[in-house]
Amino acid sequence: MPFGYIKTDYNIRCIYKDGKWGELEISSSEYIDIHIAATGLHYGQEAFEGLKAYLGRDGKIRLFRWEENAKRMISSAEGIKMAIFPFEKFREALFKVISLNKRFVPPHGSGATLYVRPLLYGSGPEVGVKPSHEYTFIIFVTPVGPYFKGGIKPVNMMICRDFDRAAPLGTGIYKVGGNYAASMRAIEAAHEGGYSNIIFLDAKEKKYIDECGPANFYGIKDNTYITPKSESILNSITNMSLIQIAESMGMKTERRKIPVEELSSFGEAGACGTAAVISPIAKIFDPEKNQIYEYCKGGEPGMLTMKLYNKLVAIQNGDESDPYGWVTILD
Ligand SMILES: Cc1ncc(COP(=O)(O)O)c(C=O)c1O
């Protein structure tokens, strides 16, 4: 099973019109009919989310911190002046679309999961640059294979100074499509150079680590988990969770600016997000300084990275108890 799109039975939709949201509608079509002047097409009024449903050993379907995704989508909508999709309605749509597609939730222990993709876009027509009066909310699901086939594997990354993904007072803190369009030149340049992803620096000074493509960065030194504080990165739910787990394991944690030079002092480094949970970083190449920062000597992820990864994955899959109340079991 690839980490890609596979058709499922149903998706769920809802339309905002005349100042209010309508009823949830179930659809079996993979297509949408969209106005040629929709603001989502022309002016990037679009936001999305990504979360996963896991099948436990007990046969029950689990969702991980879906409330944080619902809240982040509200914040993204506010950030680009879209109608807010209400929290309670998000819950209803999410639970409904998963239960309608139960047969696509991959088996426990396979490493595969049901990926859940909510999206919201301006669907009403405008020609001038202004927010739409109409919005469409959709959730579709698709089963995805494990991010790393054959187990978690360290990756190489490249520092980017030629392109910015987001500006400090821009939209980087929101999960809006435009940020991803803005990141593609850099990500493709990294792929062409043989790197799995790019590390963006802060757009203003190009001094500090921002994000690793579509994932947050962390470094570990002296039992301290350090992750960037920045006005232009997405607040990763995986990162928030790893911080809590690290603290419960007796590690110290810091969220602060990370200067590029500090990369040489980390013993371990990784990129974290829903897709891979953690991608341990083997090497970071800085083309301007022609310098390589190396972690994972011997090709293996670091010990603390593996402890954090194993704990979080065990909670998500329901293999270990969930002392944080992060997991919701679907009835
Ligand atoms: C830009 C960006 N940063 C970080 C993340 C990781 O966030 P999360 O852990 O909530 O998936 C994502 C993925 O959602 C992302 O797109």
Side-chain angles (χ1 to χ4, degrees), residues 45-320:
Q45 264 204 313
E46 188 272 346
F48 65 100
E49 273 301 326
L51 63 157
K52 286 175 174 174
Y54 310 78
L55 196 64
R57 205 184 296 277
D58 54 9
K60 291 183 178 154
I61 299 172
R62 289 166 164 76
L63 280 171
F64 182 71
R65 304 193 80 173
W66 67 268
E67 302 91 335
E68 296 300 328
N69 296 94
K71 286 194 265 175
R72 195 165 66 185
M73 193 163 219
I74 290 173
S75 155
S76 297
E78 285 170 343
I80 57 168
K81 292 286 174 195
M82 297 197 290
I84 281 164
F85 195 69
F87 185 87
E88 258 315 302
K89 228 174 163 76
F90 186 100
R91 191 194 64 78
E92 197 190 332
L94 179 66
F95 287 27
K96 190 172 258 178
V97 74
I98 294 169
S99 57
L100 286 168
N101 291 293
K102 257 188 190 147
R103 70 186 187 95
F104 293 98
V105 185
H108 177 80
S110 63
T113 52
L114 187 74
Y115 184 75
V116 182
R117 168 55 62 87
L119 70 148
L120 172 66
Y121 58 91
S123 44
E126 292 294 344
V127 175
V129 179
K130 55 172 144 355
S132 177
H133 289 97
E134 260 179 60
Y135 292 88
T136 300
F137 173 83
I138 300 176
I139 308 184
F140 70 78
V141 297
T142 187
V144 289
Y147 194 83
F148 292 112
K149 317 243 166 347
I152 183 168
K153 205 172 89 248
V155 298
N156 296 335
M157 300 212 177
M158 186 175 100
I159 289 179
C160 176
R161 286 190 182 78
D162 297 338
F163 310 108
D164 293 319
R165 168 188 169 272
L169 298 176
T171 55
I173 53 170
Y174 307 121
K175 200 164 167 66
V176 297
N179 295 339
Y180 296 82
S183 71
M184 284 188 194
R185 278 195 301 177
I187 293 175
E188 282 307 297
H191 290 165
E192 279 158 24
Y195 296 90
S196 86
N197 223 317
I198 203 87
I199 297 192
F200 288 104
L201 301 185
D202 75 286
K204 194 170 169 188
E205 295 187 82
K206 296 274 196 282
K207 268 183 159 168
Y208 305 102
I209 306 290
D210 237 1
E211 287 199 86
C212 308
N216 277 186
F217 173 86
Y218 71 81
I220 299 177
K221 66 172 156 189
D222 305 331
N223 206 35
T224 304
Y225 178 102
I226 306 163
T227 193
K229 186 179 169 78
S230 162
E231 290 168 300
S232 49
I233 66 174
L234 192 76
N235 192 10
S236 154
I237 298 161
T238 313
N239 199 9
M240 283 160 43
S241 311
L242 291 172
I243 288 171
Q244 270 185 265
I245 291 174
E247 284 171 0
S248 75
M249 284 175 10
M251 293 175 74
K252 285 193 228 114
T253 63
E254 293 173 9
R255 197 190 275 275
R256 60 165 169 80
K257 289 188 171 183
I258 302 180
V260 177
E261 308 74 64
E262 197 176 347
L263 288 177
S264 61
S265 67
F266 293 132
E268 299 181 28
C272 58
T274 297
V277 182
I278 291 179
S279 302
I281 301 178
K283 285 184 193 158
I284 300 176
F285 174 54
D286 185 338
E288 193 179 271
K289 300 191 174 133
N290 198 22
Q291 188 168 351
I292 295 174
Y293 302 95
E294 274 198 68
Y295 312 98
C296 305
K297 300 228 164 70
E300 293 302 315
M303 188 197 53
L304 291 170
T305 289
M306 283 316 295
K307 266 176 97 173
L308 291 166
Y309 174 85
N310 288 332
K311 185 77 187 173
L312 181 50
V313 168
I315 293 174
Q316 290 173 330
N317 286 313
D319 289 338
E320 282 191 30

